[in-house]
């Protein structure tokens, strides 16, 4: 499934913005939803790992509402033992089921422009 195209403009909180200096300004950023398209519930994008507490801090948003919340990691693992990169109880598929359309477009372009770099041509890829 394709990745959701939900996007959140997230300015730094006032208490963090006050720490800015001329040589280190605080800048707003954009958060992309990491869930599969047409998911139920709020959009979600991981902001940073919180390994000490076994999860990450996620931005969650829906329309005009937005919030930051700490969520544990999804416990699911794929056939190779790789962990899902989403939070526990997430809607839609696991992270390995969600394809980033931008990444797919870049890979398709690279294959077209540089077919000699394909690793599957010799049967090992």
């Amino acid at each position: 499934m394709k990745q959701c195209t939900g996007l959140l403009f997230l300015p730094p909180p006032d208490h963090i913005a006050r720490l800015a200096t001329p040589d280190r300004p605080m800048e707003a950023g954009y958060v992309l939803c990491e869930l599969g398209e047409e998911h139920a519930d709020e959009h979600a994008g991981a902001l940073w790992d919180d390994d000490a507490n076994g999860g990450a801090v996620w931005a969650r948003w829906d329309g005009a509402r937005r919030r930051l919340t700490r969520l544990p990691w999804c416990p699911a693992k794929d056939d190779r033992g790789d962990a899902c990169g989403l939070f526990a109880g997430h809607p839609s598929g696991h992270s390995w089921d969600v394809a980033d359309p931008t990444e797919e477009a870049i890979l398709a372009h690279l294959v077209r422009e540089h077919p000699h770099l394909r690793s599957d041509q010799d049967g090992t890829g």
Side-chain angles (χ1 to χ4, degrees):
M1 85 182 62
K2 298 240 185 255
Q3 184 175 346
C4 176
T5 57
L7 181 68
L8 172 67
F9 177 70
L10 191 62
D14 289 340
H15 67 282
I16 300 293
R18 283 188 220 115
L19 300 174
T21 61
D23 61 325
R24 292 188 179 236
M26 295 289 172
E27 297 180 11
Y30 291 91
V31 181
L32 298 172
C33 182
E34 298 181 38
L35 302 174
E37 64 184 352
E38 299 182 21
H39 60 81
D41 204 11
E42 299 171 309
H43 296 288
L47 298 178
W48 63 84
D49 288 345
D50 183 14
D51 291 333
N53 292 301
V57 174
W58 291 78
R60 302 291 314 267
W61 69 98
D62 181 356
R65 297 178 336 158
R66 64 180 186 219
R67 62 189 172 102
L68 303 183
T69 184
R70 181 178 292 119
L71 296 169
W73 291 112
C74 175
K77 296 188 185 290
D78 67 9
D79 295 338
R80 296 181 313 208
D82 293 331
C84 176
L86 300 173
F87 55 90
H90 60 83
S92 75
H94 294 292
S95 59
W96 54 80
D97 297 321
V98 178
D100 179 347
T102 304
E103 183 178 314
E104 284 184 337
I106 291 169
L107 289 174
H109 172 78
L110 290 174
V111 166
R112 280 192 312 275
E113 295 294 316
H114 308 282
H116 60 284
L117 298 178
R118 290 185 56 153
S119 64
D120 60 346
Q121 287 181 339
D122 62 0
T124 62

